[in-house]
Structure formats: C-alpha cells, structure tokens
Amino acid sequence: MRDLTFVAALCLAIPAAAGAQSITRGTYLVERTSLCNDCHTPRDEKGQLDMSKSLQGATLGIQPIHPMPWAEVAPPIAGLPAHFTPEQMVTFLQTGKRPDGSSPRPPMPPYRFSKEDALAVTAYLRSMKH
C-alpha cells in the first residue's frame, strides 16, 4: 500500500514539475533570447530597466531613422494582456499575427516560436503579476 501511495504522489507531481519547467523555459526565452524587457519594461531616470515593473509596459526610447509606422509604446505583457487569451498569445508568438490578423508595428519583431516555446513563454507571462 505504501508503494501505491508513493506512485500516486509521484504521478500528481509530474504535471506541476512540467509546468515549472515550462515557466523556467519561458523565463529564459523572454529574458535571455527575445529580450522582451528591453521594450516592455520601463526605465528609471538613469536609463536602467526598472525590474520592479518588469514587462509592465513602457514608452519606447528609440525611433526609426526614416519615417515609417512605429509603435511609440510597448504594451504591458506581464500576466498576459487582457486582449489576448492564452491560445491567442501562443498563436501570436508562432505567427506574428494578432487575433484580428494584423501585425504589430515595428520595432516588435514578428516572432516565429515553435509551439513548445510559445507555450513556455505564455506560461511564464501568465505566471507574472500584472
């Protein structure tokens, strides 16, 4: 009976561990490879990222050299934006298209994440406070 209890407890822990691994992967992708904080996190008076407001949205401090459509603000993405369901965010990260089919204005890159990576990024964003 004791062995059965251990196996049941182990089976219940696997989804939680998989979720934690996904969030860890999402953290890496957001913070180390995609560098989302560079645009989506506000900066302090010295120009340093204010990580206490990580991914809470920010005014962009960069402009294109030549006139073109350009986003002046990077929206908040911590906690997952209200205008995206988790499924829509995964699709956005895989296709670069918003739910209405439009593309975001530069400097937002049109990411083409794998489904696994898009799920990990979405899990990480959802785990954050907004």
Side-chain angles (χ1 to χ4, degrees), residues 8-72:
L10 183 60
C11 288
L12 290 173
I14 290 171
Q21 286 177 333
S22 185
I23 290 171
T24 299
R25 175 80 178 153
T27 303
Y28 169 76
L29 291 167
V30 166
E31 295 180 1
R32 301 289 180 217
T33 63
S34 300
L35 303 174
C36 301
N37 281 305
D38 285 359
C39 292
H40 292 274
T41 298
R43 294 180 182 271
D44 63 20
E45 61 282 344
K46 295 180 183 177
Q48 301 298 311
L49 292 172
D50 181 352
M51 295 309 290
S52 70
K53 298 176 184 173
S54 179
L55 305 176
Q56 298 292 320
T59 301
L60 296 174
I62 56 175
Q63 294 291 320
I65 295 172
H66 301 286
M68 64 183 289
W70 191 262
E72 294 185 23

Side-chain angles (χ1 to χ4, degrees), residues 85-95 113 115 118-119 122:
T85 66
E87 295 78 16
Q88 290 169 331
M89 180 57 83
V90 169
T91 299
F92 174 73
L93 292 169
Q94 289 184 282
T95 66
F113 284 101
K115 181 147 188 155
L119 287 166
T122 301

Side-chain angles (χ1 to χ4, degrees), residues 68-118:
M68 64 183 289
W70 191 262
E72 294 185 23
V73 174
I77 56 174
L80 202 58
H83 54 279
F84 279 103
T85 66
E87 295 78 16
Q88 290 169 331
M89 180 57 83
V90 169
T91 299
F92 174 73
L93 292 169
Q94 289 184 282
T95 66
K97 300 288 183 187
R98 293 183 180 125
D100 67 4
S102 67
S103 298
R105 288 182 284 168
M108 180 67 186
Y111 287 114
R112 299 293 189 271
F113 284 101
S114 69
K115 181 147 188 155
E116 180 181 319
D117 285 349

